[in-house]
Amino acid sequence: MRSKKGFTLIELLITLAIMGLLATVTVPLAQLHTQRKNEQILRSALKEIRTAIDQYKRASDEGRIPRNIGASGYPPNLNILVEGVLDQRSPVRLKLFFLRRLPRDPFNSDGSISDEATWGKRAYASEADNPKEGSDVYDVYTTNTNVGLNGIAYRRW
């Protein structure tokens, strides 16, 4: 009698069942890892932008940035934080820069819009519960409507 080489049907089915079981465990873990990574990027981006907005406001209060009477002193848009503004106290008219580049909202996957357009912007005159854009940028938030792993909506971070 000659021995046959190869796998039996039962061995192949058991192998496929084990692979399927492993896939059902690893896919949710990979999704959770991706969500955690995006949340970490979101936290970092929000902190970076908010710090730059505060630095702009501080420079405005110090008279280093020209401002109109009655204006809040916050930047008119996010791009000005990257483009820079002339320092009014500099004898050689150097520019003040607050960001090297504007971070993109990690939860906004639309590549056709600018980095600034990925963020929701709150004007100084708008309410915290109902943020609206205006003549300045007092705060930024993500436009994603999902809830984070901590149970708080991303828009409220």
Side-chain angles (χ1 to χ4, degrees), residues 75-96:
N77 57 55
L78 293 177
N79 286 329
I80 201 164
L81 300 172
V82 177
E83 296 166 0
V85 291
L86 288 176
D87 185 353
Q88 298 298 304
R89 290 191 178 172
S90 172
V92 290
R93 308 295 267 175
L94 295 175
K95 275 189 163 184
L96 293 171

Side-chain angles (χ1 to χ4, degrees), residues 15 18 31 39 73 81 83 107 109 114 150:
T15 303
I18 291 171
Q31 291 172 340
E39 285 184 2
L81 300 172
E83 296 166 0
F107 289 105
S109 59
S114 69
N150 60 1

